[in-house]
Amino acid sequence: MFKTIKRIIKWTGEDKKRLYLGFVYSFFLSILTALPVMGAAYVLNLIILDMNGSQQLSMDWVLYILAFLILLVLGRALFSYLRAKSQESIGYEITAKERIEIGNILKKVSLGFFDSNNAGKIASAVTTDFSYVEMYGMKMIDNVVNGYICTLTMILCLAFYNYIIALICLAGVGLSAVFLRLLSNRSNRNAPVHQEAQDSMIAATIEYIRGIPIVKAFKQVGVSREGIEKAYRKSRDINVKIEMDYVPANCLHLFSLKLASVAVVLAAATMAAKGEMAIPNMLMMLIFSFIIFGHVESINNAAHVLEIIDATMDKLEKIKEAEFIDKNGKELTLSSYDIEFKNVSFAYEQKDVIKSLSFKIPEKTTTAIVGPSGSGKTTICSLLARFYDVSKGSISIGGRDIREMSCNSLLRNISMVFQNVYLFHDTVYNNIKFGNPEAGKEEVIEAAKKACCHEFIMKLPERYQTVIGDTGSTLSGGEKQRISIARAILKDASIVILDEATASVDPENEHKIQGAITSLVKGKTMITIAHRLATIENADQILVVDDGEIVQQGSHKELIREGKIYKKFMSIREKAEGWTLA
Ligand code: ADP
Ligand code: MG
């Protein structure tokens, strides 16, 4: 519990001062909670003495005290406000800062990070997990630290009047602390399990929403819901089990507090009955003890939430520790764009995919990569864009190893068009402008015209301002593809990578897309993972990849002459243009 509080305090950074100031206010707040009760007891005592006739009551004195009590209550309200003001917003500030940091980290990590961290885990980390820190972090610190400050202050006040009652309260707090420790250990053990269930639930929801079109197409509503329902049920079962796990320790904790309360009532009542304690003092003791035990109960609740926050922070810190791919990269400006792969090997986790690959791509030429599905074509492109770092060998552009460059300066030089286009839930205009955030309106429209998009965009309800639905659902496959090409045209990078850019498009659209591609690659160094015969034939160089190795390399004519795997591919393609080599 205290370890988590220390961690949260560390996260507060510059806000630490405000947090500590809040603790100081808390101390005054607890004194201002105790003093009015003590004052009220004093006045009651005076009234009783007056009624007994043993002491004459001075009304002026009572009025002074009551005025003082009102001042104390107002003072209490003021400190309560000051404490809230100094601490309340800290949770929101630290989480906003951390969320931005995680967002930046996600941009910099290698794609391998996403292979081992599913979308659910990341989504829950930045949303629900953070909201624990955001909404409860400060409140829980408040419950614990301020709770202990108040408890100690109250016990000291009690000791001032009656050390026996103070000792009973102290014993109750001590006993409950033992069970609190037990509770804390259980929370510690359960929190990661709770989070895992939550991650799977969010991952299943994301998967379900993404797959809805396919689910509908195959009318498999019942089948597909199984996964999501299973995840929800599992989360419910785990949460119920966790809650049940807390019951014994929680009951013992509460029992110890109730036991201490009863002991306080009995002791105070006995002393009052024997005349050793005035009735108002007895009432004051009872109020103090109830305040103390109330605080200890809040500390108990806080302990539970703090363990969840601790597991959350573990998870978030793991994300923050992720390997940055360009940690040594410098901002470099390239002046030439010859590409060279030198003995490049690469493995996804344990699976060797690229095996000692060497080839050169001269500047402003077109290289087509062909080969069977799964042979490593996309991986070659991913390595060039440094989505992953090579395991062995090196890749250079213009003579510079790409590991010397920051990802920003590398990717400034590369435009990529994939088979699966991702469009943001934003306007058509912004989706194209994404290629070059500094571009003006005219440049965006110019790029759209070159990519054969302008015509269909003008027919959309809001033209360039039409918001594209999630995953681009309001546009056809070909239209989405052309928008992604317009984006690349606007970027105007010197190296263009086309990964099966036209593979899933119908012939009529393919013609238009081909036109768009022609505008895109003019004067550029192009790597295309092609499935169209014409593209392959016209390439300056063709690399035939099989099982992560280059098995043939040369121009179309040379390779046809060589025969082997390339000729086999080509004859299949000739027979069935439209069938993809990829
Ligand atoms: P191609 O583009 O030629 O179809 P890829 O480069 O996509 O082939 O994939 C090459 C091999 O690497 C395949 O066996 C594929 O299953 C595997 N692979 C691709 N991406 C990943 C990944 N993120 N994690 C693990 N294996 C992968
Ligand atoms: Mg591929």
Side-chain angles (χ1 to χ4, degrees):
M1 189 169 73
F2 291 106
K3 192 184 90 210
T4 315
I5 292 178
K6 252 166 98 181
R7 276 178 98 174
I8 301 179
I9 292 179
K10 213 168 134 199
W11 272 28
T12 50
E14 285 168 11
D15 293 322
K16 218 172 271 150
K17 272 190 219 137
R18 284 205 285 142
L19 187 69
Y20 291 148
L21 195 63
F23 295 153
V24 174
Y25 290 144
S26 256
F27 172 70
F28 286 113
L29 198 58
S30 50
I31 290 183
L32 288 173
T33 308
L35 283 179
V37 183
M38 288 154 90
Y42 178 71
V43 172
L44 267 182
N45 265 326
L46 289 182
I47 293 170
I48 289 171
L49 287 177
D50 182 63
M51 280 160 66
N52 288 345
S54 43
Q55 197 178 311
Q56 180 70 42
L57 180 67
S58 147
M59 265 332 273
D60 282 354
W61 179 230
V62 169
L63 285 177
Y64 284 142
I65 293 177
L66 287 179
F68 183 59
L69 289 186
I70 291 170
L71 272 180
L72 287 180
V73 172
L74 286 175
R76 192 186 180 283
L78 176 71
F79 275 99
S80 197
Y81 166 78
L82 287 175
R83 188 186 65 176
K85 196 162 177 277
S86 67
Q87 292 187 336
E88 216 69 328
S89 62
I90 298 178
Y92 294 97
E93 272 154 29
I94 58 174
T95 43
K97 207 169 66 197
E98 291 289 323
R99 278 189 173 119
I100 292 169
E101 194 182 333
I102 298 255
N104 284 332
I105 288 168
L106 291 180
K107 275 199 299 194
K108 291 181 192 162
V109 294
S110 94
L111 281 189
F113 172 83
F114 298 96
D115 294 338
S116 50
N117 290 282
N118 66 34
K121 197 166 166 183
I122 299 168
S124 80
V126 284
T127 54
T128 41
D129 290 356
F130 259 132
S131 66
Y132 272 113
V133 186
E134 184 172 52
M135 294 175 31
Y136 304 122
M138 287 306 128
K139 274 200 182 83
M140 295 306 123
I141 290 186
D142 190 64
N143 276 8
V144 176
V145 179
N146 301 336
Y148 275 120
I149 291 175
C150 281
T151 301
L152 285 177
T153 318
M154 297 282 166
I155 289 180
L156 282 178
C157 291
L158 275 180
F160 177 71
Y161 283 97
N162 190 304
Y163 71 93
I164 296 175
I165 303 285
L167 280 178
I168 297 175
C169 286
L170 203 58
V173 173
L175 191 63
S176 75
V178 174
F179 298 120
L180 190 66
R181 174 102 206 126
L182 209 68
L183 203 70
S184 223
N185 288 346
R186 283 178 186 234
S187 302
N188 202 351
R189 194 180 57 213
N190 288 332
V193 183
H194 162 81
Q195 267 186 352
E196 249 167 61
Q198 187 156 301
D199 291 352
S200 320
M201 200 168 71
I202 295 177
T205 311
I206 294 175
E207 180 87 341
Y208 181 71
I209 294 168
R210 272 191 190 153
I212 277 178
I214 296 161
V215 171
K216 282 190 189 297
F218 286 90
K219 292 197 169 39
Q220 288 202 339
V221 177
V223 179
S224 74
R225 271 180 51 182
E226 239 173 53
I228 195 172
E229 282 177 7
K230 215 161 119 191
Y232 289 168
R233 256 184 258 123
K234 193 172 164 206
S235 164
R236 177 200 62 193
D237 293 347
I238 285 175
N239 284 332
V240 169
K241 192 172 162 292
I242 290 174
E243 285 304 323
M244 287 295 126
D245 199 27
Y246 294 138
V247 170
N250 200 19
C251 283
L252 286 170
H253 168 80
L254 290 177
F255 175 71
S256 60
L257 289 181
K258 298 296 167 216
L259 197 68
S261 303
V262 172
V264 168
V265 173
L266 278 180
T270 311
M271 285 182 223
K274 282 187 187 163
E276 291 166 8
M277 188 190 280
I279 300 289
N281 285 6
M282 183 193 81
L283 290 174
M284 179 185 67
M285 306 256 155
L286 296 184
I287 293 173
F288 277 177
S289 67
F290 292 151
I291 294 177
I292 291 171
F293 297 138
H295 277 305
V296 178
E297 240 182 282
S298 305
I299 293 171
N300 158 25
N301 293 334
H304 175 42
V305 179
L306 281 170
E307 292 306 335
I308 296 182
I309 291 181
D310 197 48
T312 297
M313 293 176 100
D314 277 346
K315 196 167 136 188
L316 296 171
E317 268 162 18
K318 240 181 229 144
I319 294 183
K320 283 163 73 176
E321 280 162 13
E323 271 289 293
F324 283 10
I325 201 142
D326 67 347
K327 54 177 188 268
N328 300 320
K330 295 188 208 70
E331 287 295 313
L332 290 180
T333 312
L334 292 170
S335 50
S336 65
Y337 300 93
D338 303 299
I339 297 167
E340 182 170 10
F341 276 57
K342 251 193 235 163
N343 300 320
V344 170
S345 298
F346 175 72
Y348 287 111
E349 282 160 10
Q350 299 307 321
K351 191 177 170 202
D352 286 335
V353 178
I354 301 296
K355 299 160 191 166
S356 202
L357 210 71
S358 295
F359 62 86
K360 284 183 185 171
I361 298 176
E363 195 178 28
K364 296 186 182 165
T365 60
T366 299
T367 296
I369 306 180
V370 296
S373 185
S375 56
K377 303 181 295 295
T378 296
T379 308
I380 293 174
C381 300
S382 302
L383 291 175
L384 179 60
R386 251 192 120 192
F387 291 164
Y388 301 90
D389 264 337
V390 299
S391 326
K392 271 192 208 137
S394 65
I395 302 173
S396 57
I397 302 177
R400 304 299 294 254
D401 190 317
I402 58 170
R403 280 170 296 195
E404 289 172 24
M405 293 180 225
S406 69
C407 284
N408 266 350
S409 56
L410 170 69
L411 290 171
R412 235 193 333 261
N413 299 297
I414 302 177
S415 283
M416 300 183 88
V417 180
F418 301 97
Q419 178 179 2
N420 297 322
V421 178
Y422 186 83
L423 297 181
F424 297 100
H425 183 76
D426 202 340
T427 57
V428 173
Y429 183 83
N430 284 340
N431 263 287
I432 298 176
K433 198 177 150 136
F434 189 77
N436 176 9
E438 266 125 53
K441 196 175 167 194
E442 264 148 41
E443 288 163 280
V444 170
I445 294 174
E446 186 61 29
K449 280 183 181 160
K450 281 187 186 157
C452 312
C453 294
H454 184 70
E455 222 174 280
F456 83 80
I457 292 173
M458 294 310 282
K459 286 183 192 148
L460 292 173
E462 306 281 331
R463 300 179 178 174
Y464 279 86
Q465 292 311 316
T466 310
V467 174
I468 302 174
D470 282 330
T471 67
S473 53
T474 45
L475 300 174
S476 77
E479 288 166 344
K480 279 193 273 181
Q481 190 59 279
R482 275 180 275 157
I483 288 195
S484 80
I485 294 171
R487 208 187 248 173
I489 290 177
L490 194 65
K491 183 167 177 185
D492 195 29
S494 302
I495 299 170
V496 178
I497 300 175
L498 303 174
D499 187 352
E500 303 179 45
T502 59
S504 61
V505 180
D506 53 77
E508 190 228 341
N509 264 312
E510 183 168 345
H511 180 69
K512 284 188 189 149
I513 288 175
Q514 213 52 52
I517 288 177
T518 312
S519 310
L520 170 64
V521 301
K522 228 176 258 167
K524 312 280 188 217
T525 308
M526 167 159 85
I527 301 175
T528 171
I529 299 177
H531 79 128
R532 269 183 91 248
L533 209 56
T535 319
I536 304 169
E537 275 176 3
N538 294 330
D540 301 298
Q541 166 181 238
I542 299 159
L543 304 175
V544 185
V545 183
D546 192 17
D547 198 18
E549 287 173 297
I550 296 186
V551 287
Q552 278 181 283
Q553 181 173 3
S555 68
H556 174 70
K557 275 188 195 147
E558 286 162 357
L559 294 184
I560 287 287
R561 231 179 291 132
E562 255 181 44
K564 299 196 216 165
I565 187 170
Y566 183 74
K567 196 170 176 191
K568 219 157 62 192
F569 272 146
M570 280 320 194
S571 58
I572 297 170
R573 289 225 46 88
E574 272 164 14
K575 277 191 204 134
E577 178 67 272
W579 181 83
T580 171
L581 282 177

